[in-house]
């Protein structure tokens, strides 16, 4: 099957960790205040749970987000089927639908296109996985929104710092992120 040249290919067939990046249409800073950012974060966390995805890192900014998650294959979703990587497409579609509707109501812009595309990568190498965990946790600092990502309430950095095993935290934070190849030109 030939790939469509104008949109990212989503090959969600294998279990394991995935990194997701999604951007707003034309990179517009639509989620430009605390209430909007909180709504997206809370919707992401809630939907991840209901679609049986374990989020390991997330960062929500005004015009894009990143997260790393794994399907909980032993969990049973509401329709009695085990979680599968393909449920990620439904999770993202649901997230984009409810957040677009809500922000358009808030901004009084019915029908405005909010989200553009999303990109997913199956993380198959441990070093790649660990570097991307560091990257996502520290993305708000990367974009100079804060000096220390743990001070940004719409990302997982503070949660990771306080909840993760200390040696795992140190290991993840030791990975360099300057050469990580993630679509992030927002």
């Amino acid at each position: 099957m030939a790939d469509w040249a104008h949109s990212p290919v989503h090959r969600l067939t294998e279990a394991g960790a995935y990194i997701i990046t999604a951007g707003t249409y034309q990179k517009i800073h639509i989620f430009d205040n605390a209430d909007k950012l909180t709504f997206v974060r809370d919707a992401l966390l809630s939907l991840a749970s209901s679609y049986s995805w374990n989020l390991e890192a997330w960062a929500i900014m005004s015009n894009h987000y990143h997260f790393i998650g794994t399907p909980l294959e032993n969990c049973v979703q509401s329709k009695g089927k085990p979680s599968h990587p393909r449920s990620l497409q439904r999770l993202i579609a649901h997230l984009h639908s409810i957040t677009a509707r809500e922000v358009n109501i808030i901004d009084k812009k019915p029908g405005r296109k909010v989200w553009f595309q999303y990109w997913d990568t199956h993380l198959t190498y441990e070093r790649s996985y660990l570097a991307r965990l560091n990257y996502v946790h520290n993305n708000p600092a990367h974009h100079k929104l804060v000096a220390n990502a743990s001070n940004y309430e719409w990302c997982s950095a503070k949660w990771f710092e306080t909840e993760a095993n200390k040696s795992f935290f140190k290991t993840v934070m030791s990975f360099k992120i300057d050469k990580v190849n993630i679509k992030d030109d927002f």
Side-chain angles (χ1 to χ4, degrees):
M1 176 199 294
D3 293 340
W4 176 246
H6 301 291
S7 69
V9 178
H10 304 293
R11 293 191 173 99
L12 303 167
T13 57
E14 296 181 38
Y18 285 83
I19 182 169
I20 306 300
T21 297
T24 58
Y25 184 65
Q26 297 181 334
K27 301 178 185 178
I28 297 169
H29 295 267
I30 294 173
F31 300 94
D32 56 0
N33 67 44
D35 290 339
K36 293 176 188 177
L37 290 166
T38 299
F39 183 76
V40 175
R41 181 202 58 205
D42 293 351
L44 173 62
L45 296 175
S46 174
L47 289 170
S49 176
S50 62
Y51 281 88
S52 298
W53 276 78
N54 179 47
L55 295 189
E56 299 175 28
W58 63 90
I60 315 293
M61 276 68 65
S62 62
N63 68 346
H64 73 288
Y65 67 77
H66 305 281
F67 72 82
I68 295 176
T70 54
L72 299 172
E73 295 179 41
N74 296 327
C75 291
V76 176
Q77 291 181 281
S78 61
K79 295 186 173 146
K81 295 181 181 176
S83 180
H84 186 276
R86 290 184 195 194
S87 67
L88 183 59
Q89 291 174 308
R90 293 187 307 277
L91 184 161
I92 293 169
H94 196 169
L95 175 67
H96 288 186
S97 174
I98 64 173
T99 56
R101 270 196 310 271
E102 182 66 18
V103 77
N104 283 345
I105 289 169
I106 292 168
D107 291 345
K108 296 179 176 54
K109 294 188 177 185
R112 169 181 58 177
K113 184 171 182 171
V114 173
W115 295 106
F116 180 55
Q117 294 176 336
Y118 76 91
W119 297 264
D120 58 73
T121 302
H122 185 212
L123 302 175
T124 56
Y125 298 103
E126 183 179 22
R127 295 181 63 79
S128 175
Y129 163 73
L130 295 171
R132 280 159 178 75
L133 275 177
N134 186 5
Y135 184 85
V136 173
H137 288 306
N138 285 295
N139 201 250
H142 169 77
H143 287 288
K144 301 186 182 355
L145 299 173
V146 290
N148 181 338
S150 65
N151 294 328
Y152 188 77
E153 74 177 270
W154 303 283
C155 82
S156 55
K158 186 171 188 79
W159 166 83
F160 184 61
E161 188 176 341
T162 59
E163 298 298 320
N165 174 290
K166 296 302 175 203
S167 64
F168 183 63
F169 173 79
K170 286 179 183 179
T171 298
V172 169
M173 293 302 134
S174 73
F175 276 79
K176 298 204 181 304
I177 60 174
D178 56 335
K179 295 192 179 171
V180 171
N181 185 16
I182 296 174
K183 182 160 181 63
D184 199 6
D185 58 348
F186 299 95

